[in-house]
Amino acid sequence: MGRRPVKKFRREDDELKIQWLAIIAPKLFQEGFRQYSMDEIIQWVGVSKATFYKYFSSREMLIDEMLTLKLTEITAFKDILFEFGRPYAERYSAAMTLLEQALNPLSYKFLDDVQHTHPEQLTQIFQFIEFSLQWLEQFYVEGMRDHGLKQVNTKLLLMVDGAFLNALIMNPTKLKKTGFCVGEAVRHYFDLRAHSLRQIDKVGELKFS
């Protein structure tokens, strides 16, 4: 059985929900949601409970839709990686900048709340990580074939990348100890990864064509 595709957010059908999520999501991503009741959250968008529950029938559905919208935003990094008309290093830098900016609103508090109260919602995140690793593998292979990256085992690289990304999700308190937001942690990790894959020329300069 093949993997399910990443769920898309249908903007043409869900404009009102997107407007509400633009108000709700930043606060919950940053502060977590266990401390807020649904009544408090509904007050933020200024509609009746009956109206709100027509679109979000439960807290679980709200969290699910928040994650769907965020993952749809993050997916744009794939398109940047494979803009073949741009230099390889420039594609990498632009993709990492997008990831850092899109992921930074996610705090260890939100991830900890999801893990402890709605662990089933983590399925979306783990599925997205699987797809991201496939895209990264293609990017690594291109770099080793055409752009002077060190020739190393890509499967091993992906094992390490996957372990790092999964650790961010499953151990959010460890993220707190680093002092980084999710986006900052991901950017630092992949910058270290890029540095380790660059070749060193005869005069000691790093090459990343």
Side-chain angles (χ1 to χ4, degrees), residues 13 22 26 29 39 41 51 70 85 90 93 97 99 114 118 140 155 158 163 168 170 181:
D13 298 330
F29 281 147
D39 286 350
I41 293 170
T51 299
K70 176 55 66 177
E90 184 180 309
S93 180
T97 296
L99 276 180
V114 173
H118 303 295
Y140 289 150
K155 300 300 183 186
L158 296 173
L168 282 182
M170 295 305 297
C181 296

Side-chain angles (χ1 to χ4, degrees), residues 170-207:
M170 295 305 297
N171 297 289
T173 54
K174 289 185 177 180
L175 175 64
K176 178 183 178 182
K177 294 177 182 179
T178 69
F180 288 137
C181 296
V182 174
E184 292 171 330
V186 168
R187 180 62 183 261
H188 277 264
Y189 170 82
F190 280 104
D191 280 353
L192 287 172
R193 160 69 75 234
H195 189 277
S196 71
L197 290 174
R198 295 173 185 175
Q199 298 282 10
I200 301 179
D201 67 18
K202 294 181 180 179
V203 295
E205 295 293 330
L206 288 169
K207 297 166 62 179

Side-chain angles (χ1 to χ4, degrees), residues 68-86:
T68 294
L69 186 59
K70 176 55 66 177
L71 294 178
T72 301
E73 177 188 354
I74 296 169
T75 300
F77 96 94
K78 172 197 173 186
D79 299 327
I80 298 174
L81 286 181
F82 300 116
E83 286 181 6
F84 295 113
R86 300 173 68 177

